[in-house]
Amino acid sequence: MNYAAIKKTDVANGPGVRVSLFVSGCTHGCKGCFNSEAWDFGYGNPYTVQTETEILKALAPDYIRGLSLLGGEPLDPRNRKEVLSLVEKVRLSYPKKDIWCYTGYDYEKDLLPLAQQGEKTVSSLLQLIDVLVDGEFVEELKNLKLPFRGSENQRLIDVQESLRQKKVVLAK
């Protein structure tokens, strides 16, 4: 996996001050994407053990509320393994920090069926992510007034509550 950027004090991609990892590679090709240069899986820098250590260290200060995963597409099959490794380490090291994941995939149509069919990486990721911002960016539905998302079709899903209730529960 490659990554496009690491922002160590991000206030735009989730509540509070966050560390954000922008992974490389995306096949959605959303018209008007703010980060289209990261569609290329070879863009940016290789994700290494040192990269993971850098992110974990950046999460240490008390003022950092959590981790945000963006792209590119963090849940693309080519990125899932490394993303899961990072998320597992964040959960172990910082159990009180939240994890947000931005994806062009739809929770009910794409991700939940994979998890239910036994795709272990997706299932494990869903067990560890707090908020999933799902859905492709739709330029015709762009709304700059929406908190933490770009178009009106995208949702902020409370993943853990959704899994418990077996229905989509939006984050508050």
Side-chain angles (χ1 to χ4, degrees):
M1 179 175 90
N2 276 15
Y3 70 96
I6 298 168
K7 292 187 179 182
K8 295 181 181 175
T9 53
D10 187 358
V11 296
N13 296 301
V17 181
R18 315 183 64 72
V19 174
S20 292
L21 171 66
F22 292 79
V23 303
S24 294
C26 183
T27 59
H28 299 298
C30 302
K31 179 180 153 194
C33 175
F34 82 102
N35 202 14
S36 59
E37 64 274 1
W39 291 356
D40 179 353
F41 285 88
Y43 180 77
N45 302 297
Y47 184 86
T48 64
V49 172
Q50 291 79 12
T51 308
E52 197 165 77
T53 301
E54 178 184 351
I55 293 167
L56 290 168
K57 184 177 177 185
L59 284 161
D62 289 341
Y63 64 86
I64 298 292
R65 178 157 172 185
L67 173 70
S68 291
L69 303 162
L70 306 97
E73 175 57 73
L75 299 183
D76 184 276
R78 288 166 274 194
N79 293 332
R80 290 177 192 156
K81 181 180 173 189
E82 289 85 358
V83 169
L84 176 59
S85 174
L86 173 61
V87 168
E88 288 172 334
K89 288 178 177 108
V90 170
R91 274 286 171 242
L92 286 172
S93 300
Y94 306 107
K96 295 187 183 202
K97 298 200 186 238
D98 63 8
I99 299 172
W100 281 47
C101 182
Y102 287 74
T103 181
Y105 293 112
D106 181 277
Y107 176 75
E108 299 102 322
K109 292 178 190 163
D110 302 317
L111 300 174
L112 207 50
L114 284 173
Q116 291 167 341
Q117 293 164 11
E119 209 295 342
K120 293 185 187 307
T121 308
V122 171
S123 179
S124 296
L125 281 163
L126 291 178
Q127 295 294 324
L128 297 169
I129 292 169
D130 296 296
V131 174
L132 186 74
V133 183
D134 84 329
E136 293 185 3
F137 172 75
V138 177
E139 190 170 48
E140 295 75 24
L141 299 175
K142 182 177 180 177
N143 183 342
L144 297 176
K145 294 180 182 178
L146 295 171
F148 309 125
R149 58 198 187 275
S151 60
E152 293 177 3
N153 62 299
Q154 295 172 316
R155 303 173 294 175
L156 305 177
I157 298 173
D158 180 330
V159 179
Q160 299 315 303
E161 198 55 37
S162 295
L163 290 172
R164 273 191 287 282
Q165 292 189 29
K166 298 188 185 327
K167 66 176 187 175
V168 172
V169 176
L170 298 180
K172 296 175 183 171

